Amino acid sequence: MAGADGDDSLYPIAVLIDELRNEDVQLRLNSIKKLSTIALALGVERTRTELLPFLTDTIYDEDEVLLALAEQLGNFTMLVGGPEYVHCLLPPLESLATVEETVVRDKAVESLRKISQEHSPVDLEVHFEPLVKRLASGDWFTSRTSACGLFSVCYPRVSSTVKAEIRQHFRTLCSDDTPMVRRAAASKLGEFAKVLELEYVKTDIIPLFTALASDEQDSVRLLAVEACVSIATLLPQEDLETLVMPTLRQAAEDKSWRVRYMVADKFSELQKAVGPEITKNDLVPAFQNLLKDCEAEVRAAAANKVKEFCENLPEDNREQIIMSHILPCVKELVSDTNQHVKSALASVIMGLSTILGKDNTIEHLLPLFLTQLKDECPEVRLNIISNLDCVNEVIGIRQLSQSLLPAIVELAEDAKWRVRLAIIEYMPLLAGQLGVEFFDEKLNTLCMAWLIDHVYAIREAATSNLTKLVEKFGAEWAQNTIVPKVLGMANDPNYLHRMTTLFCINALSEACGQEITTKQMLPVVLKMSNDQVANVRFNVAKSLQKIGPVLDSNALQTEVKPVLEKLASDSDMDVKYFAQEAISDLVWLAAPKEMKVRMLACFDLRGACRAEQDQTPDTCPHPDCCWHVERCRTRAGLSLPWSFELPQSSTPAL
Amino acid sequence: MFVTDVRTQIQHRNLEEDAPVAELHDLFCKKLQQCCVLFDFLDCVADLKGKEIKRAALNELVESVATSRGVLIEPLYPEAIKMISVNIFRTLPPSENPEFDPEEDEPTLEASWPHLQLVYEFFLRFLESPDFQPSMAKRYIDQKFVLQLLELFDSEDPREREYLKTILHRVYGKLLGLRAYIRKQINNIFLRFIYETEHFNGVAELLEILGSIINGFALPLKAEHKQFLVRVLIPLHTAKSLSIFHAQLAYCVVQFMEKDATVTEYIIRGLLKYWPKTCTQKEVMFLGEIEEILDVIEPSQFIRIQEPLFKQIAACISSPHFQVAERALYFWNNEYILSLIEENCQVILPLVFTTLYRVSKEHWNQTIVSLIYNVLKTFMEMNSKLFDDLTASYKVEKQKEMKRERERADLWRGLDEYQERRMQMLTEAARNQRNLQERGERGDTLSPSSLQTAQSDQHEPKPSGAPTGAGESAT
């Protein structure tokens, strides 16, 4: 494919390189982001011989540009001529893998990992592996850090001699002088262990793991905990006790809370990796200690894992372990001094009921739920309420309803609007579980009170909450309980409340159906068109637009039309605008199909009016389209009386 | 923090000044051991008596080490260092406020400060005592000790960091064998701060110590020190929380320049590389630092960096944020900088002229506009000939610029079109290849038409041509 190469005369490399050197960073960045276009124009040959050397040698640039470059080069294999030439990409990526900025380096490593897969096994040994070695023995810590991420991608595909070298390099980096490199090595330890043969996992990885887990810096030790999960998964059960557990036990009691936090955070993974026996003997006491840790951060992380930990306990004596070992700690956490701990617990504690069954839940867990429902911190209460469904399945919600109500009421009136918002979101769920009677009796008032909250977000959420409730309880219920109250607010002295009526009508009309909308809601909306506040008036127009599809054609013609016409000549600009919008929309709605086709003809493909520039109806090229004519008229400032009648014989019945 | 039962050991005994020396040493040693008992300060009413006794004991130790001579004998060193280690070395608690902003929020103060302060005070007096023997101390104040000491600089309590600063400075001054190690570990802390966590409370304090260390560097500067400047100090400017330690950082940078003028170019180019893109507050700080640097720059060094520097200054002048523009324009009020500009007017004026001319007409802020008029006036007086030339060619230059802009756009349009066609062609070629292979597998001979297709790829259409070609040639 000789033709694959570009044309010299058109794109001399100098011009393209000038683009990559542009003084303006933004332009330079744009050029780098389109590096593939440049490479394509140059062709594979010149990309290899001219562009890549330029990139390798002369790019000293802002990190943002380097980042874009590192990313581009990961997708460059085809542009340099396919897998057999992919090693040409190594030099620029190698220098990018040594820069200071972590983001750039990480991206370069990511690209190197990607193109490593495109190397043939031979190329991997001839080109890629030497690069890894060079990085691993670089002077400055950055290159050694980058090397850590590359061992695992080349290890599986090289000869055993090279494998031995790679292991040696990894060992060296694990005991590097700078903590940055040790951290990088520790974070890749698990990944590297996965590609090693089992014997080397035991002879190489375990000593490294043990050493990193007792590093002088806690930032290194905590990364060893992460590796612990992968390593434990790889080893046969009988080796775990001697090879992994001493280190893990030590980590669970580390003097640094960061390490203990990591253990708590990874507890479920660890539990799965070490299996049921060790869990029973070792992890249960360790977990108890973490739940009682002196640092709140650690307790909170452990509390988060309570449910998962219990779920994964071996079934034969799960209940016994929970009841005698875990539950006592959980009980203490319920009255912890730190609210994050309590709230972490509250988010999972309800899940225990399915594990423990009805009787235990009633006897042991219920008192805890009730205590947390009365907690001083709203987040704790919310977390309990948001997980009610778990308990509902086991013991039914009635057991809780006595305590639930005060908790809900208090949250509903919380001073922080975000708390109020959160509880509103659980209302439909609660309503479903508590049933319509309980709801009418206790919660309905709350739902109506939110409608006149002083925060808009709450009023808005309350509106959509009503819709969901109507969907749940049906139109008849709506007609009896909600609609009268909503409509009553139309006479409220506060215009914000009057508008809420309109918003509710918008949301409810569909769920309530034509009958209620036409008979009860429409009259109220129409009456509000005389409101003295313009905002209310244009919202009337919007509401009519919104509920129009639900109304019957007679009501549209005889009631809606005159009101919209009146609003379309309102003194307020916005009212006028929204009234016209509504009219256009409703005319469109009522138009028969062939009329719609003609209307559409006025618009080009992008939806812009073709007659946009026409200032008078006379010059409009589509005189038969009433909608269009009218728009042109309004644009021209001619306030002709609006007509719903279409000028065709096939006038649709509105 | 834990409370051991040994607290009952805490007894009330005085270190009497006139006690016999041997007894004094013995007593001193006992007090040190007593003070190894830790108390729970989170519970503020727990064991008040024990706390009071320890406080008194620490006070006595401080008093004794500060005033009496001949107290510090060799056997006391390990005891003293042990007492200090037990008390001050601890894993710092998690910040109570995860989004702690040192500029806005009140720091969480160390609860055990009543004791901790006295321990630090004792440590300081110990190091400063005329009896202090570095040769004995170095056995106990070792690398591990220093590493733990450095980690404490992350303390949120400013009082603790203040003590640590003075103490580390004394350690650096007295224990020569630890100097290189301390510098290396500070390096590591900074690098972790810059590239990994962006969080470390004691950056300002460490920089303050470094300021005085740099001051004492021997000339010529070692490669290690230059590397520290280029790879650690300059990148520190990228930190989000720069404002907290900028004064100390700028001081260090200027110290380096005053030591060795040849590092000027590294510094300025480094600052230009990390110039803030969006944070105007930081931009003002950078401009402040540049002015500090220019204040002491050697004219020969100025010439080396004037071009990139004044391009950046011109960019700052056209900043819509008036504080940035103002800060940059203030350079012209600095007599030394003004003299440098005047000497190099031929180079600098063309770099900034277009910006000054444009911004003087466009800027929303009247103060900026009048400052620019002053600057333009200064330039006019400096070199009226050049000024007139530039004014005359302003329009032409602008048109040239627009022309270049159009050419760029054309180039890229061409490239994009070319790419599109190439992509189509490649897809076609791949399809043909597949067809050929399939036919080959079926044992067909190559038909002339398929050869035709393969050849026609070579006569690819010119990128400037109409967007036909690839699709057609392949069919």
Side-chain angles (χ1 to χ4, degrees):
Chain A
M1 293 233 302
D5 277 4
D7 193 311
D8 296 42
S9 58
L10 266 161
Y11 300 118
I13 183 141
V15 175
L16 299 174
I17 283 179
D18 267 357
E19 281 300 296
L20 296 173
R21 274 183 181 145
N22 198 304
E23 243 175 54
D24 185 331
V25 192
Q26 194 51 49
L27 295 179
R28 221 153 59 220
L29 188 61
N30 292 346
S31 311
I32 282 282
K33 283 187 174 158
K34 301 186 105 183
L35 197 62
S36 57
T37 308
I38 291 180
L40 199 67
L42 285 172
V44 294
E45 177 80 33
R46 297 184 57 208
T47 297
R48 287 200 299 269
T49 54
E50 294 173 54
L51 183 62
L52 287 177
F54 162 75
L55 292 174
T56 315
D57 297 338
T58 57
I59 286 243
Y60 162 82
D61 208 328
E62 307 235 0
D63 293 327
E64 209 178 342
V65 177
L66 296 183
L67 174 69
L69 178 60
E71 188 171 7
Q72 288 279 312
L73 290 178
N75 302 317
F76 243 54
T77 310
M78 287 321 288
L79 293 165
V80 293
E84 60 181 304
Y85 294 104
V86 67
H87 59 85
C88 299
L89 297 173
L90 296 179
L93 281 172
E94 180 174 354
S95 48
L96 289 171
T98 63
V99 301
E100 251 88 10
E101 178 51 50
T102 327
V103 191
V104 177
R105 224 163 51 219
D106 286 351
K107 191 52 92 181
V109 169
E110 194 185 312
S111 289
L112 279 170
R113 286 169 71 111
K114 203 163 161 188
I115 64 168
S116 74
Q117 303 308 316
E118 282 151 1
H119 281 70
S120 67
V122 177
D123 279 349
L124 205 63
E125 276 193 31
V126 177
H127 299 287
F128 198 86
E129 203 268 340
L131 169 142
V132 179
K133 268 194 236 166
R134 279 196 301 278
L135 288 176
S137 42
D139 280 341
W140 189 240
F141 79 95
T142 51
S143 68
R144 303 201 295 280
T145 310
S146 297
C148 293
L150 296 173
F151 293 116
S152 64
V153 290
C154 51
Y155 189 84
R157 296 173 61 211
V158 292
S159 69
S160 56
T161 7
V162 180
K163 279 184 174 177
E165 284 173 31
I166 292 181
R167 289 197 304 274
Q168 178 53 44
H169 278 294
F170 194 79
R171 269 201 297 277
T172 317
L173 294 183
C174 282
S175 53
D176 197 277
D177 198 28
T178 50
M180 284 78 78
V181 178
R182 293 203 301 281
R183 276 194 287 276
S187 68
K188 300 291 175 192
L189 185 66
E191 177 190 293
F192 188 55
K194 279 185 191 156
V195 299
L196 248 60
E197 297 80 357
L198 182 60
E199 48 171 319
Y200 295 122
V201 173
K202 288 187 201 170
T203 57
D204 282 43
I205 296 292
I206 295 295
L208 296 176
F209 167 61
T210 319
L212 290 170
S214 42
D215 196 275
E216 59 187 12
Q217 303 235 342
D218 59 359
S219 53
V220 179
R221 294 201 298 278
L222 66 88
L223 291 168
V225 174
E226 267 189 297
C228 185
V229 177
S230 323
I231 295 172
T233 325
L234 297 170
L235 292 173
Q237 190 69 33
E238 64 268 23
D239 289 327
L240 285 176
E241 181 55 48
T242 49
L243 299 180
V244 174
M245 286 317 290
T247 310
L248 182 56
R249 273 183 217 119
Q250 175 196 320
E253 288 167 6
D254 198 284
K255 67 178 189 319
S256 163
W257 63 270
R258 288 187 189 86
V259 179
R260 299 197 304 275
Y261 172 88
M262 197 56 144
V263 175
D265 196 45
K266 299 274 162 216
F267 217 83
S268 307
E269 286 97 325
L270 288 166
Q271 184 188 9
K272 279 180 203 148
V274 298
E277 262 324 290
I278 295 182
T279 298
K280 248 188 280 181
N281 302 333
D282 271 282
L283 293 195
V284 172
F287 194 60
Q288 284 175 290
N289 286 338
L290 292 172
L291 288 174
K292 290 186 226 157
D293 199 280
C294 59
E295 269 319 328
E297 304 269 327
V298 180
R299 289 200 302 277
N304 253 323
K305 302 286 164 186
V306 163
K307 182 197 159 204
E308 243 181 299
F309 179 74
C310 293
E311 237 169 19
N312 295 331
L313 285 169
E315 267 182 55
D316 48 348
N317 47 5
R318 178 160 73 187
E319 196 176 318
Q320 182 258 323
I321 295 177
I322 299 177
M323 296 305 294
S324 53
H325 295 101
I326 306 299
L327 205 56
C329 303
V330 170
K331 278 183 184 157
E332 275 176 43
L333 290 184
V334 165
S335 46
D336 199 281
T337 47
N338 184 294
Q339 69 170 55
H340 298 293
V341 177
K342 286 186 292 189
S343 124
L345 182 70
S347 65
V348 297
I349 191 174
M350 309 290 269
L352 290 180
S353 48
T354 27
I355 306 172
L356 287 176
K358 189 171 176 184
D359 295 340
N360 280 328
T361 303
I362 293 177
E363 193 183 338
H364 299 285
L365 293 177
L366 198 55
L368 303 181
F369 300 159
L370 296 177
T371 317
Q372 292 218 298
L373 266 180
K374 295 190 195 95
D375 199 280
E376 59 189 3
C377 163
E379 207 181 315
V380 175
R381 282 173 270 149
L382 256 182
N383 281 349
I384 290 287
I385 290 174
S386 60
N387 286 299
L388 279 175
D389 44 342
C390 318
V391 190
N392 195 24
E393 288 161 21
V394 183
I395 57 168
I397 212 161
R398 290 276 160 189
Q399 295 268 8
L400 278 174
S401 52
Q402 277 316 93
S403 320
L404 210 46
L405 195 65
I408 294 173
V409 172
E410 217 176 298
L411 288 171
E413 288 159 0
D414 196 282
K416 294 197 189 77
W417 68 267
R418 282 178 201 281
V419 173
R420 300 201 296 276
L421 186 63
I423 189 74
I424 294 178
E425 277 161 15
Y426 291 115
M427 270 299 148
L429 182 80
L430 285 170
Q433 284 169 357
L434 293 166
V436 68
E437 286 144 49
F438 187 90
F439 184 87
D440 281 348
E441 201 178 310
K442 319 271 187 188
L443 300 180
N444 197 16
T445 349
L446 285 180
C447 291
M448 301 317 289
W450 282 320
L451 287 175
I452 50 168
D453 198 283
H454 60 273
V455 176
Y456 176 74
I458 299 295
R459 298 198 298 273
E460 192 188 24
T463 310
S464 67
N465 173 44
L466 288 186
T467 320
K468 287 180 199 146
L469 290 173
V470 173
E471 279 163 10
K472 210 159 228 136
F473 294 150
E476 201 187 323
W477 175 81
Q479 194 177 7
N480 294 329
T481 45
I482 293 187
V483 175
K485 288 185 192 166
V486 166
L487 297 183
M489 281 162 57
N491 300 319
D492 197 290
N494 185 336
Y495 85 98
L496 291 171
H497 298 170
R498 298 202 294 276
M499 291 215 298
T500 306
T501 300
L502 292 172
F503 296 145
C504 287
I505 288 173
N506 294 349
L508 291 173
S509 62
E510 208 168 320
C512 287
Q514 196 184 56
E515 169 93 19
I516 299 177
T517 310
T518 317
K519 293 245 170 78
Q520 303 192 9
M521 297 178 175
L522 183 62
V524 176
V525 179
L526 295 175
K527 194 165 152 242
M528 289 169 85
S529 66
N530 297 319
D531 202 289
Q532 51 185 340
V533 178
N535 294 41
V536 177
R537 292 202 302 278
F538 76 63
N539 273 296
V540 165
K542 280 170 146 184
S543 284
L544 289 174
Q545 182 177 1
K546 182 94 189 164
I547 65 174
V550 186
L551 298 172
D552 67 64
S553 53
N554 187 34
L556 268 181
Q557 189 64 32
T558 60
E559 298 182 64
V560 176
K561 182 184 143 188
V563 168
L564 279 178
E565 278 171 358
K566 190 182 72 185
L567 290 174
S569 57
D570 198 280
S571 58
D572 185 276
M573 209 171 83
D574 295 318
V575 178
K576 242 190 216 170
Y577 171 80
F578 285 110
Q580 278 156 6
E581 283 287 298
I583 290 168
S584 303
D585 216 34
L586 294 176
V587 169
W588 173 260
L589 194 78
K593 197 179 165 201
E594 66 270 28
M595 184 61 67
K596 282 182 182 163
V597 173
R598 273 205 305 281
M599 287 180 184
L600 277 179
C602 299
F603 292 83
D604 68 12
L605 285 174
R606 281 165 313 198
C609 181
R610 281 202 181 130
E612 199 70 47
Q613 274 80 41
D614 294 347
Q615 289 301 307
T616 65
D618 312 323
T619 54
C620 176
H622 306 286
D624 60 336
C625 168
C626 78
W627 186 25
H628 194 184
V629 170
E630 199 51 43
R631 283 187 92 116
C632 295
R633 277 181 185 148
T634 9
R635 262 202 207 98
L638 306 169
S639 55
L640 296 177
W642 184 268
S643 167
F644 276 92
E645 315 295 330
L646 295 166
Q648 297 295 308
S649 52
S650 59
T651 307
L654 270 166
Chain B
M1 185 153 295
F2 62 95
V3 186
T4 56
D5 292 334
V6 258
R7 65 167 172 268
T8 45
Q9 285 176 6
I10 293 266
Q11 309 150 7
H12 194 74
R13 288 172 67 176
N14 279 320
L15 281 170
E16 288 163 40
E17 304 253 340
D18 47 356
V21 175
E23 204 176 305
L24 186 72
H25 288 150
D26 188 45
L27 206 52
F28 198 91
C29 189
K30 284 225 172 76
K31 292 271 172 196
L32 283 174
Q33 285 163 359
Q34 285 177 353
C35 289
C36 288
V37 180
L38 299 179
F39 292 89
D40 182 3
F41 274 87
L42 290 178
D43 182 353
C44 54
V45 290
D47 204 5
L48 287 174
K49 193 158 166 252
K51 283 177 188 166
E52 177 52 30
I53 294 172
K54 177 167 171 180
R55 200 189 59 79
L58 282 168
N59 264 327
E60 282 174 46
L61 286 171
V62 171
E63 184 67 21
S64 170
V65 83
T67 53
S68 20
R69 301 293 301 268
V71 178
L72 289 183
I73 55 164
E74 181 156 18
L76 288 180
Y77 279 77
E79 295 297 333
I81 297 300
K82 187 177 155 221
M83 189 281 281
I84 292 163
S85 306
V86 167
N87 277 285
I88 65 172
F89 294 152
R90 62 210 193 279
T91 309
L92 295 169
S95 179
E96 278 177 26
N97 176 2
E99 276 128 59
F100 176 67
D101 176 356
E103 283 205 304
E104 295 280 328
D105 302 329
E106 282 296 314
T108 315
L109 297 179
E110 177 56 49
S112 61
W113 190 243
H115 285 176
L116 209 52
Q117 182 198 0
L118 292 169
V119 177
Y120 278 122
E121 188 66 35
F122 170 76
F123 192 10
L124 192 58
R125 298 292 169 89
F126 173 71
L127 291 167
E128 285 174 348
S129 162
D131 293 341
F132 179 79
Q133 302 264 344
S135 55
M136 289 177 198
K138 72 179 181 194
R139 256 173 279 167
Y140 311 106
I141 301 181
D142 55 4
Q143 295 192 345
K144 186 154 187 276
F145 184 93
V146 166
L147 185 65
Q148 286 172 288
L149 195 67
L150 282 168
E151 273 172 14
L152 290 175
F153 275 82
D154 194 20
S155 168
E156 222 171 88
D157 193 330
R159 301 169 302 182
E160 182 169 17
R161 295 201 304 270
E162 191 61 29
Y163 264 111
L164 286 164
K165 184 180 75 187
T166 323
I167 286 169
L168 186 69
H169 190 251
R170 299 290 180 275
V171 171
Y172 190 89
K174 304 214 169 188
L175 299 168
L176 307 187
L178 285 172
R179 287 187 172 183
Y181 183 79
I182 292 176
R183 288 199 305 270
K184 196 172 85 183
Q185 293 309 327
I186 294 181
N187 258 336
N188 286 343
I189 288 176
F190 283 166
L191 289 169
R192 183 177 62 175
F193 169 74
I194 301 166
Y195 295 115
E196 293 183 11
T197 60
E198 283 211 43
H199 177 90
F200 193 83
N201 289 316
V203 176
E205 283 80 4
L206 290 175
L207 282 170
E208 214 174 313
I209 300 171
L210 283 166
S212 68
I213 293 178
I214 295 165
N215 212 342
F217 281 163
L219 283 173
L221 284 179
K222 283 197 222 159
E224 176 213 324
H225 300 324
K226 280 191 190 166
Q227 177 163 317
F228 169 66
L229 169 69
V230 176
R231 304 194 114 159
V232 182
L233 281 189
I234 301 293
L236 263 180
H237 287 86
T238 59
K240 202 166 57 186
S241 51
L242 177 68
S243 60
I244 298 159
F245 54 83
H246 182 251
Q248 290 84 348
L249 180 58
Y251 177 78
C252 287
V253 168
V254 173
Q255 286 291 304
F256 257 110
M257 268 184 59
E258 297 212 67
K259 272 274 154 193
D260 179 357
T262 59
V263 297
T264 310
E265 196 175 347
Y266 293 124
I267 294 173
I268 301 270
R269 288 193 187 272
L271 288 178
L272 293 177
K273 178 177 172 189
Y274 295 126
W275 202 271
K277 302 278 187 298
T278 53
C279 181
T280 45
Q281 192 205 355
K282 269 174 82 173
E283 221 173 335
V284 173
M285 284 187 254
F286 269 56
L287 284 166
E289 187 170 344
I290 292 283
E291 181 160 1
E292 279 181 54
I293 290 170
L294 291 182
D295 257 334
V296 295
I297 199 168
E298 283 187 10
S300 60
Q301 295 294 326
F302 180 80
I303 292 170
R304 300 169 79 113
I305 48 86
Q306 57 182 353
E307 219 177 302
L309 178 63
F310 274 83
K311 277 182 190 160
Q312 181 59 58
I313 291 174
C316 290
I317 291 173
S318 59
S319 166
H321 196 300
F322 78 97
Q323 283 177 340
V324 175
E326 188 179 54
R327 189 69 193 81
L329 289 164
Y330 278 164
F331 284 10
W332 274 265
N333 294 347
N334 181 315
E335 274 182 33
Y336 181 62
I337 299 179
L338 200 60
S339 73
L340 290 168
I341 295 177
E342 188 160 11
E343 263 168 54
N344 300 287
C345 189
Q346 283 291 344
V347 183
I348 293 172
L349 183 50
L351 289 172
V352 294
F353 181 80
T354 329
T355 308
L356 289 172
Y357 195 88
R358 183 172 50 81
V359 178
S360 72
K361 297 206 179 329
E362 286 175 1
H363 208 283
W364 62 271
N365 185 299
Q366 275 316 304
T367 318
I368 299 300
V369 174
S370 56
L371 278 170
I372 290 187
Y373 276 129
N374 285 339
V375 171
L376 283 171
K377 204 168 128 245
T378 321
F379 272 126
M380 212 165 3
E381 285 159 8
M382 266 181 208
N383 190 336
S384 57
K385 168 86 174 54
L386 180 60
F387 192 89
D388 290 344
D389 289 350
L390 287 168
T391 318
S393 62
Y394 176 76
K395 271 212 173 112
V396 184
E397 281 301 319
K398 210 162 182 186
Q399 274 164 357
K400 267 191 200 159
E401 201 179 301
M402 276 162 69
K403 187 163 167 270
R404 275 199 298 276
E405 211 35 59
R406 271 201 306 278
E407 282 170 2
R408 283 197 65 250
D410 287 346
L411 171 72
W412 279 104
R413 205 169 26 252
L415 281 171
D416 284 342
E417 281 169 9
Y418 177 74
Q419 178 179 25
E420 211 165 282
R421 281 197 308 278
R422 288 279 308 147
M423 282 305 171
Q424 271 180 18
M425 237 160 65
L426 284 175
T427 340
E428 287 292 331
R431 194 183 306 150
N432 289 333
Q433 192 88 33
R434 248 196 333 276
N435 289 343
L436 280 176
Q437 272 173 6
E438 277 167 19
R439 268 180 236 170
E441 279 158 20
R442 287 203 308 268
D444 289 356
T445 48
L446 291 180
S447 68
S449 69
S450 61
L451 269 179
Q452 187 78 44
T453 314
Q455 280 167 0
S456 71
D457 275 357
Q458 292 175 10
H459 308 289
E460 67 184 56
K462 299 295 179 214
S464 54
T468 56
E472 288 171 17
S473 68
T475 45

